[in-house]
Amino acid sequence: MHLNLLLKELKAVELPKNHLIIKAEKVERSLYFIEQGVARAYVDGRDNRITFWFGMEGDIILSYHSYINNTPGYENIELLENCLLYELKTEVLETLYNSNTELANWGRKLAELILIKTEESYIGRLFKPAKERYIDLLQTDPLLIQRIPLGYIASYLGVTQVTLSRIRAEIK
C-alpha cells in the first residue's frame, strides 16, 4: 500500500513530560503521531487555561488552523507524559498527497473521522450536563482518565475541580 511512502518520511522523536510541542501564535511545520504518551490541547482564557482535547496512543498532534491555513494557530499542545512520537513535516505530507491519490484519500478519511469526533465533543458540551459528559469520557477513554490530572479533566468538561469531585463521588 502507499502508506509505506508515508512511513518512510516519519522521524521518531522522544520528548519529555510538560514539553510544549505546539505553541499558539506560531505557524507549525510538523504534525506528530503518538506512539506512546498523552497530550492535551488548551487555549489561554481570560482567567484560566481551557483544555479542549486529549490525545493518546494512535492520535495525531497538530494545529489544524496552522496546517490548513498556513497561519499561526490558536492552541498550545502540551505533553502530559514522556512521549514517543513520529514527526512528519507538513510540506512532505502535502507533496505526498499531491503525488498519490490513494494516500490523499487516506488523509481525507482521517480528517473526516477527526471532524466527527470533534463535532460529537462540541455537541456534547452544548447539550449534555457535566456528569453525562464525564460518564461518556469514562466509557470511551477509561485509560485516559487514569493518566490525566483531574484539573485538566475538569477544564475539559467545563467544570471546577470541586464539581468534578462531586460528580466522581456520585458515580462511585
Side-chain angles (χ1 to χ4, degrees):
M1 180 177 193
H2 297 288
L3 279 180
N4 289 332
L5 295 171
L6 181 69
L7 294 175
K8 282 193 239 178
E9 300 296 337
L10 298 177
K11 175 185 164 197
V13 180
E14 292 186 52
L15 294 169
K17 178 180 180 176
N18 299 323
H19 181 79
L20 198 60
I21 193 163
I22 303 281
K23 297 175 182 91
E25 304 302 322
K26 183 176 177 238
V27 176
E28 293 298 332
R29 304 284 184 214
S30 295
L31 57 94
Y32 303 86
F33 297 89
I34 304 173
E35 172 75 21
Q36 183 179 1
V38 175
R40 79 169 176 129
Y42 66 88
V43 292
D44 288 317
R46 191 171 302 147
D47 300 321
N48 58 355
R49 289 184 167 165
I50 301 162
T51 299
F52 64 89
W53 173 84
F54 295 115
M56 58 190 292
E57 290 82 4
D59 288 327
I60 299 172
I61 296 173
L62 80 148
S63 170
Y64 292 98
H65 193 270
S66 190
Y67 170 70
I68 293 168
N69 297 317
N70 198 32
T71 56
Y74 53 82
E75 72 276 77
N76 293 291
I77 301 181
E78 172 187 27
L79 304 180
L80 300 181
E81 296 177 348
N82 294 334
C83 289
L84 171 58
L85 309 169
Y86 291 96
E87 180 181 17
L88 179 63
K89 297 293 184 186
T90 54
E91 182 180 312
V92 170
L93 181 60
E94 285 301 316
T95 300
L96 289 172
Y97 283 169
N98 289 331
S99 65
N100 189 294
T101 305
E102 188 176 328
L103 198 54
N105 283 330
W106 170 83
R108 179 182 53 82
K109 291 305 278 181
L110 182 62
E112 289 169 354
L113 292 171
I114 292 168
L115 177 62
I116 289 169
K117 190 174 181 181
T118 302
E119 183 181 63
E120 287 172 349
S121 174
Y122 177 71
I123 290 170
R125 281 192 104 155
L126 286 175
F127 299 107
K128 290 182 179 179
K131 182 178 178 180
E132 210 175 309
R133 292 194 312 270
Y134 181 73
I135 291 169
D136 287 349
L137 193 58
L138 272 175
Q139 291 172 344
T140 57
D141 292 311
L143 294 176
L144 196 60
I145 298 278
Q146 298 169 14
R147 296 167 71 181
I148 295 175
L150 289 180
Y152 297 154
I153 294 170
S155 172
Y156 177 76
L157 296 173
V159 299
T160 65
Q161 257 186 279
V162 172
T163 300
L164 179 57
S165 294
R166 286 189 193 126
I167 290 169
R168 289 167 51 103
E170 284 178 29
I171 293 172
K172 289 183 179 178

